[in-house]
């Protein structure tokens, strides 16, 4: 994981866009596909895996450390991150020396860290302490973030894709489309991602969302005539793509979450569309008796539910307002 942590340090140490892209490009030019695909997955924020909580890591540290709890809390109030506080205070643990761990990133993500969820409290504490003793402080910080599922890095998806485009020769637009939605971080996916030829797309794959941006009011007033523009409603719902391919329907939110089960009436509507249809638009709760949208609070009753009851559908019915036909 050393090369990965070095990359995190490099991109975190600069505000230069070009420097971040250069660091990413240099990394992907030498990294193995097994590790590179996990780096893409993590940098894009697609992982939601949490092996342990920050509270558990804090308890493990305090149980072994001579520092009083109030001092740890005071350090936390200055730093604001448990993983970082532990990494900074690591010398206070006086851990027995351990052989240095040089495991690759994919081993940590696939085989080393997941099994600790099955350990009891004592076993978990011993395992984590042995890792901390065998890693450098910044590596401990990164590992803690990976264990808690809270890994974030100061690199946008656009910069990551720019670097991958320079390494592979595949256009940024094509890479953006191939990275939409969730994916399994495998070697096969990595090769498909960077393949120059057109790959076989998954039926569920959405298109990148094109979002509205604020208008420069002064510039608009100076150069534009109102007759050259068309105004549309700003709908207060959630942006979505409705896909009908291979006799299946997929509904994606702008956050790249598959939300098909939350809107069964939209999915039922889409089943009547021909295969090879992708609609971009907005999902709204709609008051049938007044033929107008309800407010966003009504839509929130439908969000994040694994099962939508008939009662919920009757009280908060939804409609899909289409913006564009993408396919």
């Amino acid at each position: 994981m050393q090369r990965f942590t070095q990359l995190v340090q490099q991109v975190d140490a600069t505000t230069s866009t070009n420097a971040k892209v250069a660091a990413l490009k240099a990394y992907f030019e030498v990294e193995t596909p097994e590790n590179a695909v996990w780096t893409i997955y993590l940098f894009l924020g697609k992982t939601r895996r949490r092996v342990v909580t920050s509270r558990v890591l804090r308890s493990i540290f305090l149980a072994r450390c001579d520092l009083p709890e109030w001092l740890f809390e005071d350090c936390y109030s200055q730093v604001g991150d448990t993983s970082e506080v532990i990494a900074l205070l690591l010398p206070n643990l006086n851990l027995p020396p351990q052989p240095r761990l040089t495991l690759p990133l994919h081993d940590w993500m696939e085989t080393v860290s997941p099994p600790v969820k099955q350990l009891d409290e004592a076993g978990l504490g011993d395992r984590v302490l042995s890792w901390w003793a065998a890693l450098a402080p910044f590596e401990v910080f990164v590992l803690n973030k990976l264990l808690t599922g809270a890994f974030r890095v100061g690199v946008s998806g656009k910069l990551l894709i720019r670097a991958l485009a320079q390494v592979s020769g595949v256009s940024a637009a094509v890479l953006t489309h191939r990275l939409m939605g969730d994916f399994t971080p495998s070697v096969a996916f990595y090769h498909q991602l960077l393949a120059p030829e057109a790959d076989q797309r998954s039926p569920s794959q959405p298109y990148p969302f094109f979002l509205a941006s604020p208008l420069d009011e002064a510039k608009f007033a100076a150069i534009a005539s109102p007759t050259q523009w068309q105004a549309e409603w700003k709908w207060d719902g959630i942006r979505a793509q409705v896909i009908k391919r291979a006799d299946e329907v997929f509904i994606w939110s702008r956050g790249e979450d598959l939300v098909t089960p939350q809107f069964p009436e939209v999915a039922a509507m889409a089943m009547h569309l021909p295969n090879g249809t992708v609609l971009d638009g907005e999902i709204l709760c709609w008051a049938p008796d007044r033929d107008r949208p309800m407010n966003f609070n009504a839509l929130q009753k439908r969000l994040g539910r694994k099962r939508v009851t008939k009662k919920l559908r009757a009280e908060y019915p939804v409609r899909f307002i289409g913006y564009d036909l993408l396919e």
Side-chain angles (χ1 to χ4, degrees), residues 94-111:
N94 296 317
L95 295 171
Q98 295 280 344
R100 182 159 171 75
L101 274 176
T102 58
L103 296 171
L105 176 62
H106 73 93
D107 273 355
W108 280 106
M109 300 303 298
E110 296 169 15
T111 60

Side-chain angles (χ1 to χ4, degrees), residues 62-273:
L62 289 173
R64 178 62 185 257
C65 186
D66 293 332
L67 292 177
E69 187 172 352
W70 68 263
L71 185 55
F72 184 95
E73 292 296 337
D74 192 52
C75 293
Y76 176 82
S77 69
Q78 299 297 316
V79 176
D81 183 273
T82 299
S83 296
E84 187 172 0
V85 171
I86 290 173
L88 292 171
L89 296 178
L90 206 60
N92 293 277
L93 283 182
N94 296 317
L95 295 171
Q98 295 280 344
R100 182 159 171 75
L101 274 176
T102 58
L103 296 171
L105 176 62
H106 73 93
D107 273 355
W108 280 106
M109 300 303 298
E110 296 169 15
T111 60
V112 178
S113 61
V116 303
K117 289 188 288 187
Q118 276 70 53
L119 296 177
D120 59 21
E121 184 177 342
L124 175 62
D126 290 342
R127 185 70 56 84
V128 170
L129 287 169
S130 71
W131 289 342
W132 288 348
L135 296 171
F138 193 81
E139 292 171 345
V140 169
F141 166 66
V142 172
L143 175 63
N144 289 347
K145 302 299 279 185
L146 295 177
L147 292 174
T148 57
F151 180 80
R152 299 288 184 275
V153 68
V155 172
S156 69
K158 289 184 178 179
L159 296 188
L160 178 69
I161 289 169
R162 270 180 56 186
L164 289 170
Q166 292 179 17
V167 171
S168 65
V170 179
S171 74
V174 170
L175 290 173
T176 301
H177 190 194
R178 292 177 181 178
L179 286 168
M180 283 296 294
D182 201 6
F183 60 85
T184 300
S186 64
V187 173
F189 175 82
Y190 184 74
H191 289 315
Q192 290 174 1
L193 174 66
L194 302 186
E197 68 276 3
D199 57 341
Q200 185 62 39
R201 175 176 60 190
S202 166
S204 69
Q205 187 176 22
Y207 287 91
F209 281 83
F210 291 87
L211 306 179
S213 29
L215 199 64
D216 186 327
E217 201 170 334
K219 185 177 179 181
F220 174 74
I223 66 171
S225 165
T227 59
Q228 297 175 316
W229 290 76
Q230 177 177 304
E232 295 185 7
W233 291 106
K234 167 64 176 73
W235 300 107
D236 193 18
I238 64 164
R239 188 73 176 273
Q241 282 182 37
V242 176
I243 298 173
K244 169 70 182 301
R245 296 193 190 110
D247 294 324
E248 292 187 86
V249 169
F250 310 92
I251 304 174
W252 289 91
S253 73
R254 166 184 149 184
E256 298 184 35
D257 292 316
L258 203 54
V259 295
T260 317
Q262 296 173 37
F263 305 106
E265 55 267 71
V266 176
M269 171 277 297
M271 282 301 297
H272 297 286
L273 298 171

Side-chain angles (χ1 to χ4, degrees), residues 3-25:
R3 192 177 288 144
F4 177 74
T5 55
Q6 289 169 6
L7 174 64
V8 174
Q9 282 182 301
Q10 286 178 310
V11 299
D12 191 53
T14 180
T15 58
S16 167
T17 296
N18 290 336
K20 289 178 187 287
V21 172
L24 288 163
K25 180 175 180 288

